[in-house]
Amino acid sequence: MEYNFRDIERKWQQYWVDNKTYKVTENPSKPKYYVLNMFPYPSGAGLHVGHPLGYIASDIYARYKRLQGFNVLNPMGYDSYGLPAEQYAIQTGQHPAITTNQNINRYREQLDKIGFCFDWDREVRTCDPGYYHWTQWAFQKMFGSFYCNKTQQATPIAKLIAHFEKEGTENLDVAQSEPLEFTAEEWNSWDEARQQEVLMNYRIAYLGETMVNWCPALGTVLANDEVVDGVSERGGFPVVQKKMKQWCLRVSAYAQRLLDGLETIDWTDSLKETQRNWIGRSEGAEMVFKVKDSDVEFTIFTTRADTIFGVTFMVLAPESELVAQLTTPEQKAAVDAYLEATKKRTERERIADKKVTGVFSGSYAINPITHEAIPVWISDYVLAGYGTGAIMAVPAHDSRDYAFARHFNLPIIPLIEGADISEESFDAKEGIMMNSANEGLSLNGLTVKESIAAMKKYITEKGIGKVKVNYRLRDAIFSRQRYWGEPFPVYYKEGTPYLIPEECLPLELPEVKDFKPTEAGEPPLGHAEVWAWDTVHNCVVANSLIDQKTVFPLELNTMPGFAGSSAYYLRYMDPHNDKALVSPEKDSYWRNVDLYVGGTEHATGHLIYSRFWNKFLHDNGWSVTEEPFQKLVNQGMIQGRSNFVYRIKDTNTFVSYGLRKEYDVTPIHVDVNIVSADVLDIEAFRNWRPEYKDCEFILEDDKYICGWAVEKMSKSMYNVVNPDRIVERYGADTLRMYEMFLGPVEQSKPWDTNGIDGCFRFLKKFWNLFFDGNGNFCVSNDAPTPEELKSLHKLLKKVTQDIEVFSYNTSISAFMICVNELAQLKCNKRAILSDIVVCIAPFAPHIAEELHSLLGYEGSICDAAWPKWNEEYLKESNVTYSISFNGKMRYTLDLPVDMDNKTIEETVLSNEQSQKWIEGKTIRKIIIVPRKIVNVVVG
RNA sequence: GCUCGAAUGGUGGAAUCGGUAGACACGAGGGACUUAAAAUCCCUUGCCCAGUGAUGGGCGUGUGGGUUCAAGUCCCACUUCGAGUACCA
């Protein structure tokens, strides 16, 4: 019988559905294992061959773990809120829900063809009210919490209120937007609105006036990780800085825990490093500088307190509140002009031209150590959002200060012995200090490191400043001026936000007539006619009923993309629970994700937000583990492999790749689907586009050979390969095998169909082991020979070890070797073949099921047990030694395994081949590496 | 600029603790079967030199040094490519 993959795959995919083979329930008698893929955004383009790479890798692992006796959770769902569906809605008027649904159905169809072991009963969609109920719920909980620095955890806001009522801000150590000071009396005297306003300074989800990345073309704000090179990640539109009132999440409060948590999880070093950089912890000192002839003083942050003797000027960020205070009347005109000019420059322009700009404020600050007066400047190279928005400039040892000093002719004082600062600053934190002494303090002669430590001690003792840790990580901006996202469960009473009652969740997304912003510039929800909250009946009512006494307007912003993806792994544990995000029982059974597979592009977005979100839930006991994703594997990107044809200029004649240099040609992208192994299907090409209908070809060897290049897989390059096409032609098992055989999972590589035949041939060969020359199923019950057993157990050992480390490509090689050996031996022994079938099931589940069934076993192969290898069968009586002289391999020798070193030495030395290398020389040393090498050092 | 990673045949890629390269696959060349094609099977395939031949010798993991009996693997310097990040004081 032939290997008919179409029938086999159709049959078993149906069997899995009918028998709910992949349904999983909590089972305390079995150890759990949680495998998760980053769920996809269902785009209109459907899946290309790059998408399933990670899914196949995790599917193999999930199936393997199940065969090993684990209760494996392997769910799938859709991150179904997002910009493309909304942009499409704006253009066509089509409701995003409709587009999204169509796309999901298409994705599902494509996924089903590949034979994944997902438990679809646990599917989640972020745009489903039953799901975003819990996104809104989490937001409400964050709104109702503050972060206590003493206990290092999120705490209900009621505790904070109690503290304020008793002692105001006395003894307060909490995360806050800005430091406030008030007494209990003051707090108690304030009205509700004022108190609410103050509480915003502490809430974990808070409404804050912040500088945001505003994208005019998209009409919305973007988070830092959604802005790339000053333009939006989606669409590439320019982004400008704008001050706006927005919902924010106090992610920064968790900076230290996010950093510390990295030590406890099993991620790649590079990913951890990326997160560390993003969090950007820097240890330094805050120092207070007095302003000359004034009561004003201000604080700066520096990591180089040791360079205090080299401070020759100060710089304020243009947005700093100090600018107004420190600008003298004489300088006011110049400063105003500068501020105006700065405001006009977008983020992008600032990055693009690195011109040094700045203006003198007119004021002088007093160096707290040297007591010298130094000028205070204003420049946009200092950022308002980092540290205190003010710096002490040490031009000799900071390149930016150096450039500034050079440009404005400010003094430069070298502080490190031997540092050449004639052309550039000396930024390295090394060397011996000089020029750093006065009557009170001397750093001269110390190394930079000693000097930093000494200064920290000094300023703390003298009360000039304090040791301070700063983080680059900023709070996440949580509002989007979009329609297709989770609505905030918030209404506004005289401008103060209030939560709708928890039991009224979910607050469902209303219908709108138009998906664009309103004419008044409000977000699309401004078009909703039924979008007001009735506090008496606790329900959504028409806007016309708003009376500001019992009926209030609801929030018009929606939540960003990362809201829905931040806790979805918890929802999979208990997807149909309408009482809680996840029940404590299920949460404590599944705990966290053991293996998370996805792309690196989420390193500073989703993977930070998710960890933050989980830590918040953990603080409240709603998630049992501190870290959500124990092990993370980043699958590489599959790039496209584009094909080109070469048209001779101004003609309709195309010349084959090898001959193109003889003509003046233009390379043109050609659809890779009409090219096979770089040979163009000429007929298909002529039909591809009308203008090529009558074209001519100059061939080589009767073939048209196309050129190729590795590019991003995209429609415009005509290099998108759909998995469906491969499945149709070779079957899902071949696709799965080939995607894994292409190379290490973590590595990026171009998609290249050229080698797929190898995997297809392998499966056919494997299939043929079970059939005789006449195509009849023919498996013998005879006892296997030692040779056959050895071949099998070599395979079992290799595959078991490889799967554990995701080295699937080498496992597949092992399968190929084993099948070749068995074919050579004409082995058709049941004892051998039935084990191999189980072993190959994770990789090629359809063919495995079919053979498992033909072998006479009942039920799905998923319920079989993973075979264990036995070292007994692998033992050899002889082992081949490489015999080297002075490290150079000369010949090999078969020796008994258990021969002792002395005998080995004697055997090697007495061997006649050895004689010619030893002749006339003295033997200095003999190194014996057991079972491998004998190296004789002669001289 | 900084941080991290990579570099191996015509191609994708193997190579555990440093253990004597190139597994496996593709492609290519040759052969068998066939009227023919497809499919299948067998042989060769890193480079160079010598030999009719079995075979023998030399060179080889981006470049240059080093450690070692032994280096693709470890150390130092450099080149190229990729990823992340960027006035973070």
Side-chain angles (χ1 to χ4, degrees):
Chain A
M1 204 162 71
E2 252 185 44
Y3 167 46
N4 188 338
F5 58 85
R6 287 195 188 89
D7 290 351
I8 293 171
E9 290 178 2
R10 198 176 312 122
K11 172 179 163 189
W12 287 98
Q13 285 172 8
Q14 193 55 49
Y15 176 95
W16 295 330
V17 173
D18 294 344
N19 291 278
K20 290 209 172 282
T21 307
Y22 302 127
K23 188 172 172 59
V24 55
T25 47
E26 294 68 32
N27 177 355
S29 70
K30 274 188 175 181
K32 69 95 187 187
Y33 200 90
Y34 188 174
V35 176
L36 184 66
N37 291 286
M38 290 183 186
F39 61 171
Y41 172 76
S43 86
L47 288 176
H48 64 64
V49 287
H51 294 107
L53 184 81
Y55 305 156
I56 295 170
S58 59
D59 193 66
I60 290 171
Y61 202 75
R63 286 172 179 276
Y64 165 77
K65 277 286 175 184
R66 177 161 170 182
L67 290 166
Q68 291 236 312
F70 287 85
N71 191 25
V72 178
L73 177 57
N74 183 25
M76 184 46 97
Y78 304 96
D79 187 11
S80 52
Y81 272 135
L83 273 178
E86 180 159 352
Q87 292 292 80
Y88 189 74
I90 290 170
Q91 284 158 24
T92 64
Q94 173 100 282
H95 196 286
I98 297 172
T99 330
T100 303
N101 251 321
Q102 285 169 352
N103 293 347
I104 286 178
N105 292 339
R106 169 101 179 97
Y107 263 59
R108 178 64 190 275
E109 220 174 86
Q110 288 185 294
L111 289 170
D112 280 348
K113 285 186 186 158
I114 305 174
F116 293 116
C117 64
F118 298 131
D119 177 0
W120 284 107
D121 288 351
R122 292 177 183 256
E123 180 195 301
V124 300
R125 299 180 184 191
T126 53
C127 68
D128 175 8
Y131 179 87
Y132 66 67
H133 180 153
W134 302 104
T135 311
Q136 293 176 335
W137 168 82
F139 167 80
Q140 290 203 334
K141 294 299 173 191
M142 289 181 195
F143 180 86
S145 304
F146 72 101
Y147 193 83
C148 175
N149 286 336
K150 273 189 215 128
T151 58
Q152 278 289 305
Q153 63 174 354
T155 313
I157 200 90
K159 267 201 166 171
L160 187 67
I161 295 170
H163 185 105
F164 288 159
E165 283 167 351
K166 236 173 89 195
E167 42 186 330
T169 53
E170 238 0 69
N171 302 318
L172 194 66
D173 185 12
V174 300
Q176 54 196 350
S177 302
E178 53 181 309
L180 297 180
E181 273 184 43
F182 52 83
T183 63
E185 291 73 46
E186 284 174 302
W187 168 264
N188 292 323
S189 70
W190 289 335
D191 65 7
E192 165 80 10
R194 181 71 200 276
Q195 286 184 345
Q196 285 297 327
E197 197 189 323
V198 168
L199 286 175
M200 276 300 177
N201 195 48
Y202 305 95
R203 293 182 189 277
I204 289 181
Y206 64 95
L207 202 52
E209 179 117 19
T210 45
M211 280 305 225
V212 298
N213 305 302
W214 174 254
C215 179
L218 292 171
T220 187
V221 303
L222 298 170
N224 283 341
D225 65 281
E226 292 169 321
V227 182
V228 179
D229 292 335
V231 298
S232 67
E233 189 191 18
R234 294 234 179 220
F237 302 111
V239 170
V240 295
Q241 297 298 301
K242 193 173 166 182
K243 207 158 203 176
M244 281 178 79
K245 206 155 204 190
Q246 299 285 306
W247 285 106
C248 302
L249 301 184
R250 207 174 296 282
V251 179
S252 60
Y254 283 82
Q256 189 59 48
R257 277 171 67 189
L258 288 168
L259 198 59
D260 294 343
L262 291 173
E263 306 300 326
T264 68
I265 51 182
D266 190 12
W267 294 12
T268 61
D269 290 339
S270 75
L271 189 60
K272 286 185 185 181
E273 193 61 26
T274 304
Q275 290 218 339
R276 280 190 201 106
N277 290 340
W278 190 259
I279 296 165
R281 181 191 154 102
S282 83
E283 251 177 79
E286 278 188 351
M287 270 194 265
V288 178
F289 281 68
K290 289 199 170 66
V291 176
K292 190 184 175 196
D293 304 327
S294 157
D295 295 337
V296 178
E297 52 182 41
F298 64 97
T299 310
I300 58 95
F301 175 75
T302 181
T303 54
R304 294 295 301 273
D306 58 307
T307 58
I308 187 77
F309 288 93
V311 178
T312 54
F313 57 102
M314 311 291 289
V315 188
L316 306 176
E319 297 86 0
S320 168
E321 283 150 19
L322 290 162
V323 170
Q325 290 181 58
L326 297 191
T327 302
T328 56
E330 307 82 75
Q331 286 298 102
K332 189 159 188 333
V335 169
D336 285 350
Y338 182 71
L339 296 186
E340 199 50 43
T342 315
K343 213 181 266 175
K344 280 197 189 125
R345 298 170 82 199
T346 63
E347 180 94 340
R348 193 145 199 224
E349 286 164 347
R350 280 202 200 181
I351 293 167
D353 70 276
K354 293 205 166 179
K355 253 189 252 157
V356 177
T357 62
V359 64
F360 178 46
S361 71
S363 292
Y364 290 82
I366 304 294
N367 184 322
I369 308 287
T370 65
H371 308 294
E372 281 167 23
I374 44 185
V376 179
W377 286 69
I378 297 156
S379 173
D380 66 2
Y381 83 86
V382 174
L383 304 176
Y386 185 77
T388 60
I391 63 152
M392 62 180 217
V394 186
H397 302 292
D398 181 287
S399 51
R400 295 151 302 178
D401 297 343
Y402 187 86
F404 195 85
R406 272 292 161 101
H407 189 264
F408 289 104
N409 240 337
L410 295 160
I412 300 172
I413 307 171
L415 300 173
I416 293 172
E417 289 178 15
D420 175 16
I421 56 156
S422 56
E423 291 300 322
E424 56 182 5
S425 61
F426 181 83
D427 291 15
K429 288 187 188 181
E430 55 196 42
I432 305 294
M433 303 298 297
M434 61 177 196
N435 294 340
S436 297
N438 63 10
E439 57 284 358
L441 172 71
S442 174
L443 301 171
N444 288 346
L446 298 178
T447 65
V448 169
K449 288 206 175 91
E450 289 164 349
S451 168
I452 291 174
M455 270 306 288
K456 277 183 184 168
K457 191 157 167 267
Y458 184 82
I459 60 169
T460 313
E461 281 169 2
K462 300 277 172 183
I464 303 165
K466 60 179 183 190
V467 173
K468 167 91 187 186
V469 176
N470 250 319
Y471 299 91
R472 202 187 77 116
L473 184 71
R474 316 268 183 93
D475 288 348
I477 294 165
F478 202 60
S479 299
R480 294 294 181 276
Q481 291 67 42
R482 309 297 300 187
Y483 173 71
W484 195 229
E486 299 87 351
F488 282 89
V490 165
Y491 64 87
Y492 288 89
K493 189 169 163 181
E494 285 161 15
T496 303
Y498 288 88
L499 300 179
I500 69 166
E502 191 179 326
E503 59 274 17
C504 298
L505 296 180
L507 177 67
E508 292 200 30
L509 188 64
E511 291 303 321
V512 293
K513 302 184 302 261
D514 190 346
F515 302 105
K516 286 197 280 289
T518 65
E519 280 175 14
E522 284 176 329
L525 285 188
H527 291 295
E529 283 164 9
V530 183
W531 197 237
W533 189 254
D534 183 330
T535 54
V536 177
H537 303 96
N538 275 331
C539 61
V540 179
V541 294
N543 296 18
S544 55
L545 299 174
I546 291 173
D547 60 11
Q548 290 295 350
K549 287 201 170 62
T550 60
V551 179
F552 303 94
L554 281 157
E555 168 74 56
L556 299 181
N557 288 300
T558 55
M559 298 185 195
F562 68 82
S565 58
S566 287
Y568 73 114
Y569 53 90
L570 289 169
R571 189 61 180 166
Y572 278 136
M573 298 174 183
D574 197 4
H576 308 296
N577 190 337
D578 58 4
K579 300 284 181 294
L581 168 64
V582 50
S583 74
E585 298 75 43
K586 296 195 175 179
D587 186 28
S588 54
Y589 180 72
W590 294 112
R591 302 183 62 82
N592 60 355
V593 176
D594 295 285
L595 172 66
Y596 196 28
V597 178
T600 8
E601 66 272 21
H602 298 108
T604 51
H606 163 63
L607 287 173
I608 291 268
Y609 298 129
S610 229
R611 293 181 60 220
F612 152 76
W613 201 287
N614 187 73
K615 282 175 195 296
F616 169 77
L617 295 177
H618 176 71
D619 287 348
N620 290 283
W622 295 313
S623 168
V624 297
T625 57
E626 165 92 22
E627 286 291 337
F629 313 119
Q630 192 53 43
K631 181 176 172 67
L632 187 135
V633 170
N634 284 122
Q635 94 273 25
M637 291 252 281
I638 297 271
Q639 294 137 310
R641 189 178 184 280
S642 314
N643 276 116
F644 295 93
V645 290
Y646 301 90
R647 182 164 65 189
I648 301 173
K649 276 205 177 128
D650 305 320
T651 68
N652 207 9
T653 302
F654 294 83
V655 58
S656 183
Y657 178 76
L659 306 170
R660 72 189 190 288
K661 293 212 166 128
E662 295 166 25
Y663 304 87
D664 187 11
V665 296
T666 327
I668 297 170
H669 276 98
V670 58
D671 190 341
V672 293
N673 293 301
I674 58 172
V675 177
S676 173
D678 291 337
V679 176
L680 182 69
D681 179 338
I682 289 174
E683 245 346 273
F685 182 72
R686 286 202 168 112
N687 293 329
W688 185 40
R689 285 192 176 169
E691 67 259 42
Y692 301 144
K693 198 159 173 277
D694 302 312
C695 64
E696 302 288 325
F697 296 94
I698 300 173
L699 306 177
E700 46 185 324
D701 301 333
D702 292 336
K703 284 185 259 178
Y704 189 96
I705 312 290
C706 299
W708 60 274
V710 172
E711 294 171 309
K712 197 177 159 230
M713 199 171 271
S714 90
K715 267 186 176 171
S716 62
M717 316 260 192
Y718 300 103
N719 59 5
V720 176
V721 180
N722 278 325
D724 314 23
R725 246 184 80 89
I726 308 286
V727 170
E728 178 54 33
R729 196 151 153 200
Y730 296 98
D733 286 338
T734 300
L735 172 74
R736 293 170 59 104
M737 282 261 170
Y738 185 57
E739 290 226 4
M740 294 301 105
F741 187 63
L742 218 46
V745 179
E746 299 89 339
Q747 198 172 302
S748 286
K749 56 230 156 192
W751 177 258
D752 182 349
T753 334
N754 286 342
I756 197 165
D757 286 316
C759 288
F760 189 52
R761 273 177 215 152
F762 159 74
L763 285 176
K764 280 193 283 191
K765 255 188 219 177
F766 177 56
W767 177 262
N768 285 333
L769 288 179
F770 296 77
F771 295 87
D772 64 17
N774 301 318
N776 296 316
F777 187 73
C778 175
V779 170
S780 127
N781 286 318
D782 295 351
T785 65
E787 227 176 344
E788 291 165 346
L789 282 167
K790 189 178 161 192
S791 190
L792 169 68
H793 285 264
K794 214 166 62 184
L795 174 78
L796 296 181
K797 183 176 179 179
K798 177 83 178 137
V799 172
T800 308
Q801 290 175 347
D802 282 351
I803 292 182
E804 292 289 357
V805 295
F806 305 94
S807 183
Y808 299 130
N809 53 336
T810 53
S811 299
I812 294 173
S813 295
F815 278 114
M816 291 175 172
I817 294 167
C818 179
V819 166
N820 275 334
E821 282 172 0
L822 295 179
Q824 290 289 317
L825 295 169
K826 303 214 183 312
C827 167
N828 66 343
K829 310 280 170 61
R830 168 181 301 273
I832 302 288
L833 295 180
S834 58
D835 276 357
I836 298 181
V837 168
V838 176
C839 205
I840 209 169
F843 298 87
H846 308 85
I847 194 175
E849 288 276 22
E850 180 70 12
L851 292 170
H852 186 72
S853 151
L854 285 171
L855 284 166
Y857 299 103
E858 293 285 318
S860 166
I861 197 166
C862 296
D863 299 316
W866 186 260
K868 290 193 172 59
W869 83 85
N870 187 340
E871 288 286 348
E872 281 301 309
Y873 298 122
L874 299 173
K875 276 198 177 153
E876 312 238 9
S877 52
N878 279 327
V879 56
T880 306
Y881 278 83
S882 300
I883 315 299
S884 310
F885 296 88
N886 287 346
K888 200 129 195 102
M889 212 272 267
R890 293 303 173 181
Y891 67 99
T892 60
L893 205 58
D894 283 347
L895 298 173
V897 170
D898 298 324
M899 190 183 258
D900 64 78
N901 284 0
K902 202 163 163 0
T903 325
I904 291 175
E905 259 183 60
E906 283 164 7
T907 317
V908 169
L909 293 180
S910 62
N911 186 290
E912 57 176 283
Q913 293 189 70
S914 299
Q915 296 300 324
K916 75 177 183 202
W917 301 106
I918 298 170
E919 219 184 333
K921 292 169 185 150
T922 17
I923 294 162
R924 296 221 172 121
K925 203 166 162 192
I926 298 175
I927 293 121
I928 299 173
V929 181
R931 300 185 178 205
K932 274 185 180 152
I933 281 162
V934 180
N935 188 19
V936 184
V937 185
V938 292

